[in-house]
């Protein structure tokens, strides 16, 4: 029997090796293809849209997002709920072919100028006047609107009324009063104030500059924060930090109210979103104040965080993605109200919706809306993420590491100017 | 060649295999082996090419461009990105952070791993048990370990494990991660890395210790050397030279690649930001500055290569083989 006739010989050692090698190669190539998480371009004639959210902390938000997507009948919307470092996952997604079609993020000039996102003027045109001017400005680059504001998230100082009364302290209205209050409240195992794991050098980097009366950039996008007032602000923050009354190293960061609720601190910087949880835990035993002004030109600051929706220029079907955004964040006012007030509290960016949001019209929530209206500060799309990191380094170096504030401000100015050249 | 049999029939000769036939068969065999080699090695070489060499090449390309929010840039800037990151700033600061980290971690890991190996080597009972106990942390993820260190052991509030122990002695809670002066955060970073890495290096030393011939020690004792420090210094340590060089090399590279513990314990803080964390935030965070990120990555690669070669030259890596 010739080898050709003998199956055992024909599928010998060498053939086996060859075949298994081929399988290995095929497996490798298949792995290269990978699951992008985007699904196909369309299913059953419907467009397929991939929508990305960061992981919200409030219970029920993920289910709500999935429900909204399922309700949309003109396309198959797949929701990706991304825990952890959302910004990094998003940035790598946007430069690759596996990114989202629709996603939430913060306004950023470089995303617009590099063509990662598309203008949304056409879908917002009919209701533009119903959005606040500041929200529109925060999402506009060169006169075009790139993002639809989903939620406004004011941030302020929460304080525990009973602890302040016990210590004979009034809610602080100046930065000196804040330092004094933090000192007096730091007792019996409860720290005075919690500004997050980085002692506020991250989340308060911009509000600190605003609180001194300075701006980050001028209206024509030039450096504006390098003022004596900013230096004074850094010195005051350093004074607060060296008072050793700040809670440091809590299990959760500033955006989670756990440290405040658990009685680890008497005051905490946090957002409106946390208010329902705080109410549930503490009842009426809490109040809010803005970040107090610093120095003679100082002003109280309520920082508006929040999120906006964008459409990727690499979306499989940009028009379908825009149509979905229009449906969800412009036409479906009931869903927007649900998103803003049924889980954590957020202020609806639409004036008409904000006026109707009954949960925000009484008690401390109403106070929050009022403070937001009078002291709200918004992100500038021209203040890029690189600049944010630079200002955070400036505050961290001057406040936490105790470096010379004048030279830190000067260094930050040089670095921000270099960044501004990139977007000129 | 033909031969004639006694019955006169001519048959095709079955000549003894000559050089030409052997060469043909060898060529055939070589061809088969080559094909098999490419079948198996090919996919992995393709992977290496696709996921290592192409990205390195693309990184070099990006490093010469202003690549903001794009990996297909058009604005050529030459060596500007290199000049930017090498001037005083966060990248050079991050190199100092690394240097300090390496200066603390490398000698400490070396000494403790060697000490552990000596103990486990000498122990007579339950050697496998102790070997496993010290090695098991190596299997733990850096992320998980960082979270345990951050949330449980070195939690800054009064109910953290370390603070509970301090509380027994009447000492106030310490904000381990948030305290810069004194720099308690180094305690968290260093103990974490020691716990994760000691076992691995201990195993390397243990293997090397088992290779040292007993006769050397017996000869030394005969010549009057005292067991203990004297034999350790003059026999054990020199015999471990090759392993030591390899271990230090691995530890240095691992220190250069420090990312997970810094990222999870102290994300993006200027006083504790090693190069990889800085590059991650520059290129992959919201920064999306792939030009500067790529330049930094290549500078870092060059540094690692230089340090590796230098270390090999100084300590004579591979000298024992020659």
């Amino acid at each position: 029997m010739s080898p050709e006739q003998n199956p055992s010989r024909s599928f010998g050692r060498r053939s086996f090796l060859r075949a298994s090698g081929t399988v290995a190669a095929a497996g490798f190539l298949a792995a290269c293809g990978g699951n992008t998480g985007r699904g196909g371009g369309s299913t059953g004639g419907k467009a397929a849209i991939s929508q990305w959210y960061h992981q919200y902390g409030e219970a029920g938000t993920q289910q709500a997002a999935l429900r909204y997507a399922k309700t949309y009948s003109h396309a198959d919307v797949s929701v990706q709920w991304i825990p952890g470092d959302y910004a990094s996952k998003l940035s790598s997604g946007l430069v690759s072919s596996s990114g989202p079609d629709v996603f939430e993020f913060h306004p950023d000039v470089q995303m617009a100028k590099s063509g990662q996102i598309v203008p949304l003027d056409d879908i917002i045109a009919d209701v533009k006047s119903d959005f606040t001017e500041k929200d529109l400005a925060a999402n506009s680059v060169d006169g075009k609107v790139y993002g639809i504001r989903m939620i406004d998230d004011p941030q302020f100082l929460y304080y525990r009324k009973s602890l302040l009364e016990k210590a004979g302290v009034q809610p602080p209205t100046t930065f000196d009063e804040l330092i004094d209050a933090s000192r007096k409240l730091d007792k019996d195992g409860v720290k005075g104030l919690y500004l997050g794991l980085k002692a506020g050098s991250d989340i308060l980097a911009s509000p600190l500059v605003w609180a001194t009366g300075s701006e980050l950039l001028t209206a024509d996008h030039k450096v504006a924060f390098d003022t004596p007032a900013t230096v004074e602000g850094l010195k005051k923050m350093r004074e607060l930090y060296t008072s050793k009354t700040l809670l440091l190293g809590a299990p959760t960061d500033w955006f989670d109210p756990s440290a405040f609720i658990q009685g680890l601190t008497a005051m905490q910087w946090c957002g409106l979103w946390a208010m329902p949880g705080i109410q549930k835990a503490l009842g009426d035993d809490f109040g809010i104040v803005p970040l107090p002004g610093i120095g003679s030109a100082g002003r109280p600051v309520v920082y508006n965080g929040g999120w906006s929706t964008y459409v990727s220029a690499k979306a499989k079907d940009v028009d379908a993605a825009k149509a979905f955004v229009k449906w969800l964040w412009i036409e479906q006012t009931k869903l927007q109200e649900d998103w803003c007030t049924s889980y954590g509290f957020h202020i609806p960016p639409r004036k008409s919706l904000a006026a109707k949001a009954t949960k925000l019209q009484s008690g401390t929530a109403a106070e929050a809306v009022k403070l937001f209206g009078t002291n709200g500060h918004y992100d500038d799309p021209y203040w890029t993420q690189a600049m944010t990191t630079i200002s955070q380094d400036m505050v961290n170096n001057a406040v936490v590491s105790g470096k010379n504030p004048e030279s830190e401000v000067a260094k930050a100015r040089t670095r921000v100017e270099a960044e501004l050249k990139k977007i000129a | 060649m033909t031969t004639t049999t006694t019955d006169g029939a001519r048959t095709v000769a079955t000549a003894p295999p000559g050089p030409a036939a052997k060469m043909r068969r060898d060529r055939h065999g070589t061809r088969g082996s080559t094909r098999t080699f490419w079948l198996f090695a090919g996919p992995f070489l393709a992977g290496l090419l696709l996921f290592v060499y192409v990205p390195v090449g693309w990184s070099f390309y990006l490093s010469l461009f202003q690549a903001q929010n794009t990996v297909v840039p058009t604005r050529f800037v030459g060596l500007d990105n290199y000049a930017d990151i090498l001037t005083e700033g966060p990248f050079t600061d991050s190199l100092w952070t690394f240097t300090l980290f390496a200066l603390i971690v490398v000698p400490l890991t070396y000494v403790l791993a060697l000490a552990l190996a000596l103990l486990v080597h000498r122990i007579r009972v339950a050697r496998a048990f102790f070997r496993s106990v010290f090695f098991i942390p190596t299997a733990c993820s850096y992320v998980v370990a960082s979270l345990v260190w951050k949330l449980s052991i070195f939690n800054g509030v009064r109910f953290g494990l370390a603070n509970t122990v301090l509380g027994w002695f009447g000492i106030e809670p310490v904000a381990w991660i948030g305290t810069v002066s004194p720099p308690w955060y180094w305690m968290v970073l260093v103990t974490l890395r020691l716990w994760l890495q000691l076992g691995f290096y201990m195993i390397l030393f243990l293997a090397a210790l088992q290779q040292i011939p007993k006769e050397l020690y017996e000869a030394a004792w005969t010549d009057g050397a005292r067991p203990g420090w004297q034999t350790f210094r003059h026999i054990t340590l020199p015999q471990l030279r090759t392993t030591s060089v390899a271990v230090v090399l691995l530890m240095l590279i691992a220190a250069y690649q420090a990312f997970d513990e810094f990222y999870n314990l102290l994300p993006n803080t200027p006083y504790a930001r090693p190069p990889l964390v800085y590059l991650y935030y520059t290129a992959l965070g919201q920064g999306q500055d792939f030009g500067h990120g790529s330049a930094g990555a290549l500078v870092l690669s060059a540094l690692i290569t230089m340090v590796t070669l230098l270390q090999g030259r100084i300590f004579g890596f591979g000298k024992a083989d020659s």
Side-chain angles (χ1 to χ4, degrees):
Chain A
M1 192 181 279
S2 71
E4 287 73 24
Q5 292 168 307
N6 184 346
S8 66
R9 291 284 302 276
S10 65
F11 197 72
R13 179 171 49 87
R14 188 163 295 159
S15 305
F16 170 76
L17 291 175
R18 199 172 294 142
S20 50
T22 308
V23 169
F28 172 78
L29 292 172
C32 286
N35 176 10
T36 63
R38 282 162 64 99
S42 63
T43 50
K46 278 188 191 176
I49 295 168
S50 166
Q51 184 186 21
W52 285 17
Y53 290 88
H54 81 288
Q55 184 183 31
Y56 283 74
E58 305 92 296
T61 44
Q62 185 177 10
Q63 291 72 19
L66 290 166
R67 200 170 59 245
Y68 304 158
K70 206 172 173 187
T71 308
Y72 189 59
S73 57
H74 299 293
D76 287 323
V77 181
S78 63
V79 170
Q80 278 211 42
W81 195 255
I82 296 165
D85 191 350
Y86 176 72
S88 299
K89 170 131 191 190
L90 181 66
S91 71
S92 54
L94 289 175
V95 294
S96 72
S97 57
S98 59
D101 299 319
V102 173
F103 61 94
E104 60 169 13
F105 205 51
H106 307 296
D108 190 314
V109 60
Q110 283 166 331
M111 286 170 72
K113 289 213 167 191
S114 63
Q116 282 185 325
I117 50 178
V118 298
L120 302 174
D121 295 275
D122 49 344
I123 64 170
I124 201 176
D126 294 342
V127 292
K128 206 170 174 181
S129 59
D130 197 28
F131 283 87
T132 65
E133 277 183 25
K134 286 181 177 176
D135 267 334
L136 288 172
N139 269 308
S140 297
V141 173
D142 295 339
K144 289 179 183 168
V145 178
Y146 281 86
I148 309 293
R149 197 74 166 178
M150 300 153 60
I151 47 175
D152 281 325
D153 277 337
Q155 298 165 24
F156 18 67
L157 285 166
Y158 283 85
Y159 63 88
R160 192 84 176 262
K161 284 179 183 172
S162 58
L163 292 177
L164 264 67
E165 277 167 22
K166 201 172 152 192
V169 173
Q170 290 297 311
T173 55
T174 66
F175 210 86
D176 286 328
E177 285 178 16
L178 177 66
I179 297 170
D180 188 50
S182 188
R183 281 205 178 98
K184 286 180 178 163
L185 291 164
D186 180 26
K187 58 182 181 181
D188 304 330
V190 179
K191 298 302 288 181
L193 171 62
Y194 186 47
L195 299 175
L197 295 171
K198 292 190 192 172
S201 61
D202 49 352
I203 190 59
L204 290 187
S206 296
L208 187 71
V209 172
W210 292 325
T212 66
S214 303
E215 295 293 341
L216 296 167
L217 296 174
T218 60
D220 58 345
H221 319 311
K222 303 255 167 50
V223 172
F225 66 85
D226 60 331
T227 61
T230 299
V231 172
E232 177 60 19
L234 291 173
K235 286 178 180 170
K236 283 289 170 195
M237 268 294 276
R238 173 72 181 164
E239 190 182 333
L240 176 62
Y241 180 79
T242 52
S243 71
K244 297 192 182 298
T245 60
L246 290 183
L247 174 66
L248 299 168
T252 53
D253 211 346
W254 64 271
F255 47 78
D256 186 311
S258 302
F260 185 64
I261 289 171
Q262 289 169 5
L264 299 172
T265 180
M267 299 185 286
Q268 178 177 336
W269 183 263
C270 201
L272 177 62
W273 59 84
M275 198 174 279
I278 292 172
Q279 271 173 339
K280 197 174 167 190
L282 303 178
D284 291 331
D285 185 19
F286 76 94
I288 50 169
V289 286
L291 180 70
I294 303 171
S296 54
R299 55 191 165 172
V301 170
V302 170
Y303 174 45
N304 183 26
W307 294 83
S308 304
T309 283
Y310 302 87
V311 171
S312 168
K314 285 185 180 172
K316 292 177 295 293
D317 185 337
V318 170
D319 290 334
K322 281 167 75 172
F324 171 64
V325 170
K326 186 178 182 185
W327 175 83
L328 180 55
W329 297 115
I330 289 175
E331 292 170 355
Q332 298 301 307
T333 50
K334 284 233 176 299
L335 299 185
Q336 291 155 37
E337 193 177 346
D338 177 66
W339 186 245
C340 288
T341 59
S342 295
Y343 313 99
F345 282 171
H346 313 270
I347 299 175
R350 301 278 290 274
K351 294 173 201 165
S352 56
L353 278 179
K356 284 195 294 183
T358 51
K359 289 178 182 173
L360 302 178
Q361 287 172 355
S362 61
T364 319
E367 174 71 8
V369 176
K370 194 176 143 203
L371 287 176
F372 174 62
T374 50
N375 307 117
H377 278 70
Y378 292 63
D379 286 319
D380 178 349
Y382 286 82
W383 184 256
T384 64
Q385 180 53 38
M387 295 177 204
T388 300
T389 304
I390 292 166
S391 66
Q392 290 178 352
D393 283 3
M394 173 185 81
V395 177
N396 203 298
N397 287 335
V399 174
V400 179
S401 298
K403 293 183 181 172
N404 180 283
E406 281 91 354
S407 59
E408 287 304 316
V409 171
K411 269 199 290 186
R413 181 199 169 96
T414 308
R415 290 178 60 200
V416 168
E417 280 175 341
E419 291 298 322
L420 283 169
K421 276 185 192 160
K422 288 188 198 169
I423 54 174
Chain B
M1 184 199 284
T2 59
T3 53
T4 307
T5 58
T6 47
D7 58 359
R10 286 176 67 232
T11 59
V12 176
T14 51
K22 191 169 184 294
M23 207 180 293
R24 262 200 312 276
R25 239 196 343 263
D26 281 354
R27 261 210 306 270
H28 183 71
T30 307
R31 213 166 37 234
S33 301
T34 306
R35 202 178 302 143
T36 308
F37 168 79
W38 281 113
L39 266 173
F40 276 88
F44 303 102
L45 287 174
L48 194 69
L49 187 74
L50 199 62
F51 296 115
V52 177
Y53 294 116
V54 169
V56 169
W58 197 256
S59 262
F60 177 67
Y61 172 77
L62 286 175
S63 73
L64 303 175
F65 285 82
Q66 183 184 318
Q68 185 68 53
N69 292 59
T70 178
V71 287
V72 280
T74 51
R75 193 173 152 204
F76 182 76
V77 293
L79 298 176
D80 284 2
N81 290 332
Y82 290 92
D84 285 349
I85 60 159
L86 289 173
T87 50
E88 194 189 349
F91 183 72
T92 50
D93 288 349
S94 75
L95 293 177
W96 285 116
T97 302
F98 149 73
T99 306
L100 189 57
F101 182 61
L103 282 174
I104 300 169
V105 156
V106 172
L108 211 53
T109 312
Y110 180 90
V111 170
L112 293 177
L114 182 56
L116 270 183
L118 288 167
L119 284 174
V120 173
H121 184 58
R122 276 171 168 261
I123 205 165
R124 291 180 189 282
V125 288
R127 185 188 290 181
F129 169 76
F130 285 109
R131 206 166 45 205
S132 306
V133 163
F134 292 125
F135 185 73
I136 280 171
T138 307
C140 184
S141 137
Y142 268 76
V143 178
V144 171
S146 300
L147 292 178
V148 171
W149 251 241
K150 180 179 176 175
L151 298 176
S152 175
I153 301 174
F154 289 104
N155 187 327
V157 293
R158 57 183 178 270
F159 46 77
L161 181 62
N163 281 336
T164 303
V165 173
L166 289 182
W168 296 339
F169 301 98
I171 301 169
E172 286 289 298
V174 175
W176 298 99
I177 293 167
T179 308
V180 176
S181 178
W184 288 122
Y185 65 94
W186 277 117
M187 167 88 98
V188 186
L189 289 165
V190 171
T191 52
L192 174 68
R193 182 157 277 230
L194 284 177
W195 185 75
L196 284 166
Q197 292 205 336
L198 271 184
F200 173 71
Y201 296 114
M202 179 202 74
I203 292 289
L204 296 187
F205 278 126
L206 207 53
L209 284 171
Q210 285 165 357
Q211 296 299 313
I212 302 175
K214 280 182 185 155
E215 293 78 12
L216 274 179
Y217 291 103
E218 287 164 4
W221 294 330
T222 309
D223 289 343
R226 287 187 299 277
W229 172 247
Q230 216 168 27
T231 46
F232 172 75
R233 189 177 159 216
H234 294 290
I235 297 176
T236 311
L237 215 49
Q239 289 292 313
L240 291 177
R241 198 174 70 113
T242 312
T243 308
S244 295
V245 174
V247 162
V248 171
L249 191 73
L250 289 172
M251 287 193 296
L252 262 178
I253 292 173
Y256 257 117
Q257 292 174 334
F259 177 82
D260 290 307
E261 66 265 58
F262 284 88
Y263 178 78
N264 287 290
L265 291 169
L266 295 145
N268 214 9
T269 40
Y271 56 81
R273 188 164 50 199
L276 279 189
V277 173
Y278 169 73
L279 294 174
Y280 175 79
Y281 280 109
T282 300
L284 280 179
Q286 290 177 30
Q288 292 199 59
D289 183 350
F290 298 100
H292 285 97
S294 299
L298 289 171
V299 168
L300 190 63
S301 306
L303 264 174
I304 294 177
T305 310
M306 269 162 46
V307 169
T308 306
L309 293 175
L310 200 68
Q311 196 243 8
R313 177 61 65 90
I314 291 169
F315 294 104
F317 191 49
K319 242 183 208 172
D321 302 330
S322 59

